[in-house]
Amino acid sequence: MRRKQLYAIILAGALAASSAPAAVFAAEGDVAATAETSEENPVDGETAAATEAPAEETPADTTAATEAPAEQAPAQEAAAATEAPAQEAAPSEQTQQTTEETPAVQETPAAETTEAPEAGEETTLAEGESTKPTAISITMKAAEEGAEDKVRYFDTIQHAINAAPEYNAETNRDATVIEVSGQIELENTVTVKANKKVCIRATNAVTITRTSNAFTDDMFEVTGENAELQFDVKEGAEGASFTVSGKISDEESASVWGSIVSVGTGAAFGMDAGVTLKENNSAANGGAITNVGGNIVLKGGTITGNNGAKGAVYSDSDIKVQGTVVVKENQPANIYLAGTSALVVSGAMTNSDISFTQEKAADKQVAVKSVENFAAADFNTAVGQIKYDTTDYTLALAENGLSATLQKKAAEATATPTPTPAPLTLKYKSGTLKWKDHTTVTLQMTTDGPCKWYYFFVDAGTDTKTIQNMYVANDATNVMSTSGSFDVTAVKVPEKDSWLVICAKPDSGAKAKMSVVKLNGSSFKKKRPAAAATTTTRPAKTYKVSESTVTGLDGELKFFPGKFYEFTVTGAGMDNTSPVQGDERWYPVYWSTKKNPTTEQQNTTWRIGSGKGIKDGASYNIYIFLKKQVYNGKEWEDATPQDIKYITGSNGKALTFTAASISDKEWNAYIAELSGTPIPDNGGDNGGNGGSGDDADAELTATAAASEKDAGSKSKSAVSTADESPIGTMSALAALSLLAGGYIVVRKRKKEEQ
């Protein structure tokens, strides 16, 4: 036989074999059967008889054999096992490299990865395939007994997937194992298309990340009929683990558009023990996994620290779980089951911690169920490891012991059903987080509805449950009256590593939302301005607004027409000439005779009087408003949130002043002095009003600066003109003077005629 023909036969045999199939997916009838399912933990409760044939009937195909040789797996053992164990024959010196020895592999095809064949040989390499060992490989099982397995190396995971044989219902049902090691960076989405079934298996401590914050799409996409993707860890490989992180920055505000894994119609995704999906802050429905029309099988692993529009895992179909599965500390939900989809317990569960939210949650709605022929005792144990995300519902076993339904809390069972308010969306506006000074940061948040908000700091690393328990509804005092963005100025940032928590309480009555902004990212910490030099040798001074003083309104004030009195307001702490950081003071801003004045009723000139005058004695309330200011080490600035209060007396009520009674004689004398003409004392009432408290009839006003603002006001506190001279009153007095003069002339003529 010619050498070329012999080589072609050997190469065909190598290409016909594949590595051990994946271990996660369910048995025939759900997704294609796979190997490595132990007989102690059968998938879906089916037996091996339904999925495997005797060794002598297994035809040669393009993947690894699905069962061990007959002398290694007796017939009675084969009947008990669901699927035969996977066969792995890749030499350890070629496929197992430590993390320290393996540099990060970037998912970008290398420019040149092949070697020239030896003289007389012919070779054909797939795209991205290399004759040199890399961190990504597929072991092809030898087609003939005694022949060596072939290890194929690739520069990217995508090229390895492309080279994997396609699914064939008759000859090739199993998944192709792609072994990876070290750290791998993705700069594009890794896609598993229709009729491709692959298992990505970690042989040591493997971490898969995004190359940079420019890559924000799905990290892995499984789409099309018979498309399957599995993550697992090589059995027996010391120190092996498999972590996929979607984080693009140390800053909590950084977010992406895609999920870690996106599953489409007809496709499936599974993960096993030792696998972790974490830290993907995404606008997708599921931060870690988004499944629309496909299947999810969780045989183990951890999903934590993810944030999605609906939660960490979003699925519109049932999710199968077994083994030790941890899905916790994700936002806003851990597992979000769309429609009436449920969790399906497909095997025994131990030490799992799963919580979920059901879109159409209702009393007695089935939320957890089991596969057929499952032991009721094992199902009961599994349900004890599953809980609902909120306290609205608990899980209750059905009579058959093989399903669990949602049970509304007894206290709420008799409550009148009310429409569920739409949840509020609260998000950080990317790129707005900045340092204002050493202890102050500014940022913008966006919301899709009116709310009240506040913020607080926690130590970096505080767990989600603790943060949620720190929420105090009454502290939400900052008003956001509509949807859109609002500015946050967070002061007194702690010196140690901290997180900033923004809390929003929706006006609709829906649940409050909390958003955590991490301030301990290495790049952000480096930008923190240096602390301002301070000579603080004493504690900061604080005051109450009631400690402010008012002078000039003591005693009885006689409010003749156009008569104004100046008064002085000294805010508490305003005499502090040597402030230190944190000192407070109260700064006078305006006064009014109204407790809740409109803008037009806010007088900023510190003088008071009445254009018409007040003849009858009475007492009146006066509300003098001051705002709190805080010294930041350099200058005084308004407190955040804004704090404006009025001065109260020792009785806790507003301050008052007294308008003294004015006799007719005094009144007429004052008018005569103003007009220059005596006015007869006819004993009549020359004007003036009595009263007390708010909304009195007295026309108490400010001076020029306030009069322009109050022009046209309908309130009873109409303001005088710029020169403080009551023009209307003077005009009236002039008219009275003319009348008085005419009266004197007429009387004189009458006397002469007599």
Side-chain angles (χ1 to χ4, degrees):
M1 181 180 293
R2 295 178 60 184
R3 185 177 181 182
K4 290 184 179 180
Q5 293 174 329
L6 178 60
Y7 178 79
I9 293 173
I10 294 174
L11 180 60
L15 293 175
S18 76
S19 61
V24 169
F25 300 115
E28 186 174 357
D30 294 305
V31 292
T34 60
E36 293 194 346
T37 301
S38 67
E39 60 181 308
E40 293 83 10
N41 197 18
V43 178
D44 279 0
E46 299 183 5
T47 64
T51 61
E52 65 180 355
E56 61 273 17
E57 294 179 2
T58 303
D61 54 27
T62 58
T63 63
T66 60
E67 60 180 64
E71 63 271 19
Q72 296 177 352
Q76 60 270 29
E77 294 181 3
T82 304
E83 298 170 4
Q87 298 180 11
E88 301 168 1
S92 60
E93 66 271 17
Q94 293 179 331
T95 60
Q96 297 186 34
Q97 297 175 328
T98 64
T99 304
E100 292 77 9
E101 295 171 341
T102 307
V105 176
Q106 185 167 326
E107 276 290 300
T108 303
E112 187 68 41
T113 61
T114 63
E115 293 181 341
E118 295 181 4
E121 287 187 312
E122 295 181 2
T123 180
T124 302
L125 299 179
E127 182 184 6
E129 186 175 359
S130 171
T131 58
K132 295 181 179 180
T134 66
I136 303 168
S137 65
I138 298 176
T139 299
M140 310 299 293
K141 304 300 291 184
E144 298 180 3
E145 185 176 355
E148 291 186 1
D149 297 336
K150 178 176 176 57
V151 181
R152 302 177 67 188
Y153 299 101
F154 296 88
D155 58 348
T156 67
I157 294 176
Q158 186 65 69
H159 284 153
I161 293 173
N162 294 345
E166 290 195 350
Y167 165 80
N168 185 298
E170 296 181 357
T171 61
N172 181 21
R173 297 171 48 83
D174 301 312
T176 299
V177 174
I178 301 173
E179 292 190 337
V180 296
S181 61
Q183 298 188 20
I184 299 174
E185 295 180 342
L186 305 181
E187 73 172 11
N188 293 300
T189 302
V190 175
T191 303
V192 181
K193 296 184 178 180
N195 294 319
K196 288 281 186 175
K197 298 188 178 186
V198 296
C199 168
I200 302 177
R201 175 169 295 158
T203 62
N204 58 15
V206 171
T207 301
I208 298 180
T209 60
R210 300 176 185 271
T211 52
S212 67
N213 56 12
F215 175 35
T216 62
D217 295 331
D218 297 324
M219 297 180 72
F220 291 87
E221 181 183 42
V222 197
T223 179
E225 292 295 328
N226 297 314
E228 295 179 7
L229 172 64
Q230 175 194 341
F231 293 157
D232 74 4
V233 174
K234 187 170 184 176
E235 185 177 357
E238 184 176 356
S241 63
F242 194 160
T243 300
V244 185
S245 172
K247 182 170 69 174
I248 60 173
S249 171
D250 289 335
E251 298 178 9
E252 173 68 17
S253 55
S255 61
V256 298
W257 292 105
S259 305
I260 292 178
V261 181
S262 175
V263 186
T265 302
F269 169 74
M271 56 186 277
D272 212 328
V275 178
T276 300
L277 308 183
K278 68 176 187 176
E279 298 174 337
N280 198 48
N281 185 10
S282 174
N285 280 337
I289 306 172
T290 297
N291 171 43
V292 179
N295 292 286
I296 300 175
V297 180
L298 305 179
K299 276 192 61 180
T302 301
I303 300 174
T304 186
N306 299 284
N307 192 329
K310 299 294 186 181
V313 179
Y314 173 89
S315 179
D316 63 0
S317 60
D318 292 350
I319 297 177
K320 292 184 178 180
V321 293
Q322 69 179 81
T324 301
V325 180
V326 176
V327 188
K328 66 178 184 179
E329 297 180 2
N330 301 281
Q331 291 293 334
N334 288 296
I335 295 177
Y336 187 92
L337 298 170
T340 58
S341 55
L343 296 177
V344 178
V345 179
S346 57
M349 299 182 67
T350 56
N351 300 320
S352 292
D353 187 353
I354 303 173
S355 65
F356 70 97
T357 294
Q358 203 168 34
E359 181 181 45
K360 295 187 177 180
D363 197 31
K364 298 182 180 179
Q365 169 69 35
V366 174
V368 184
K369 51 191 177 182
S370 69
V371 295
E372 294 181 4
N373 303 319
F374 198 73
D378 289 342
F379 182 77
N380 187 22
T381 299
V383 170
Q385 301 166 53
I386 301 172
K387 57 182 177 293
Y388 202 72
D389 270 328
T390 68
T391 58
D392 297 341
Y393 294 96
T394 58
L395 289 174
L397 284 173
E399 292 183 2
N400 61 6
L402 293 176
S403 64
T405 61
L406 296 179
Q407 183 173 355
K408 205 169 185 63
K409 274 192 171 182
E412 299 178 0
T414 57
T416 302
T418 56
T420 302
L424 182 75
T425 298
L426 177 68
K427 286 187 175 294
Y428 162 77
K429 192 171 182 179
S430 180
T432 61
L433 180 65
K434 293 180 176 60
W435 287 103
K436 181 178 180 181
D437 54 49
H438 184 70
T439 59
T440 308
V441 294
T442 61
L443 65 153
Q444 284 189 330
M445 302 294 294
T446 59
T447 178
D448 61 355
C451 63
K452 292 182 179 179
W453 61 272
Y454 77 106
Y455 68 85
F456 58 85
F457 297 98
V458 298
D459 293 342
T462 303
D463 64 87
T464 301
K465 193 67 175 178
T466 300
I467 295 175
Q468 290 174 336
N469 290 337
M470 295 173 70
Y471 171 74
V472 179
N474 291 337
D475 288 349
T477 57
N478 300 292
V479 177
M480 178 63 180
S481 59
T482 184
S483 61
S485 62
F486 59 88
D487 297 324
V488 178
T489 299
V491 300
K492 298 181 180 180
V493 178
E495 293 296 330
K496 59 183 178 180
D497 287 354
S498 304
W499 292 349
L500 174 64
V501 182
I502 313 296
C503 307
K505 178 183 178 183
D507 291 354
S508 64
K511 292 182 180 179
K513 289 291 184 180
M514 305 175 77
S515 180
V516 177
V517 179
K518 295 181 179 179
L519 307 180
N520 62 321
S522 57
S523 60
F524 189 68
K525 285 170 63 177
K526 291 178 181 178
K527 298 176 184 177
R528 185 170 189 169
T534 178
T535 57
T536 302
T537 57
R538 59 170 174 78
K541 294 180 179 179
T542 60
Y543 301 91
K544 296 180 180 178
V545 69
S546 59
E547 297 179 71
S548 304
T549 59
V550 181
T551 57
L553 295 179
D554 300 330
E556 295 185 339
L557 308 177
K558 293 188 177 182
F559 289 100
F560 291 103
K563 175 70 174 179
F564 284 82
Y565 293 93
E566 294 185 356
F567 62 97
T568 302
V569 180
T570 303
M574 289 294 293
D575 57 351
N576 186 355
T577 58
S578 300
V580 300
Q581 186 169 346
D583 277 0
E584 297 178 355
R585 72 178 186 182
W586 289 91
Y587 184 86
V589 286
Y590 58 84
W591 66 271
S592 180
T593 57
K594 309 294 182 182
K595 185 175 183 180
N596 298 299
T598 63
T599 302
E600 290 75 13
Q601 296 167 340
Q602 297 173 3
N603 302 301
T604 58
T605 303
W606 306 101
R607 308 184 78 183
I608 189 169
S610 173
K612 294 181 180 180
I614 303 175
K615 190 174 182 183
D616 297 334
S619 62
Y620 299 92
N621 289 340
I622 184 168
Y623 299 91
I624 300 174
F625 293 85
L626 301 91
K627 63 181 178 180
K628 181 189 286 188
Q629 292 186 327
V630 181
Y631 193 70
N632 63 13
K634 294 182 179 179
E635 60 184 358
W636 293 96
E637 61 181 4
D638 294 347
T640 304
Q642 190 178 61
D643 192 359
I644 297 180
K645 296 180 180 178
Y646 61 81
I647 303 174
T648 58
S650 58
N651 58 358
K653 297 182 179 179
L655 299 179
T656 61
F657 65 92
T658 302
S661 298
I662 303 175
S663 67
D664 291 345
K665 185 176 181 179
E666 291 177 302
W667 186 275
N668 292 336
Y670 180 81
I671 293 175
E673 182 179 355
L674 285 179
S675 63
T677 304
I679 295 178
D681 183 3
N682 59 11
D685 185 1
N686 288 307
N689 301 293
S692 63
D694 289 341
D695 297 318
D697 292 335
E699 295 182 351
L700 297 170
T701 64
T703 55
S707 66
E708 295 177 2
K709 177 178 66 177
D710 282 347
S713 171
K714 295 182 180 180
S715 74
K716 298 181 180 179
S717 297
V719 184
S720 69
T721 57
D723 60 0
E724 301 181 16
S725 300
I727 293 175
T729 303
M730 294 297 292
S731 299
L733 291 175
L736 289 173
S737 298
L738 293 173
L739 291 174
Y743 172 77
I744 294 171
V745 172
V746 171
R747 293 288 297 175
K748 184 176 180 181
R749 287 181 178 177
K750 285 185 177 182
K751 285 183 179 181
E752 290 176 352
E753 291 175 357
Q754 293 176 353

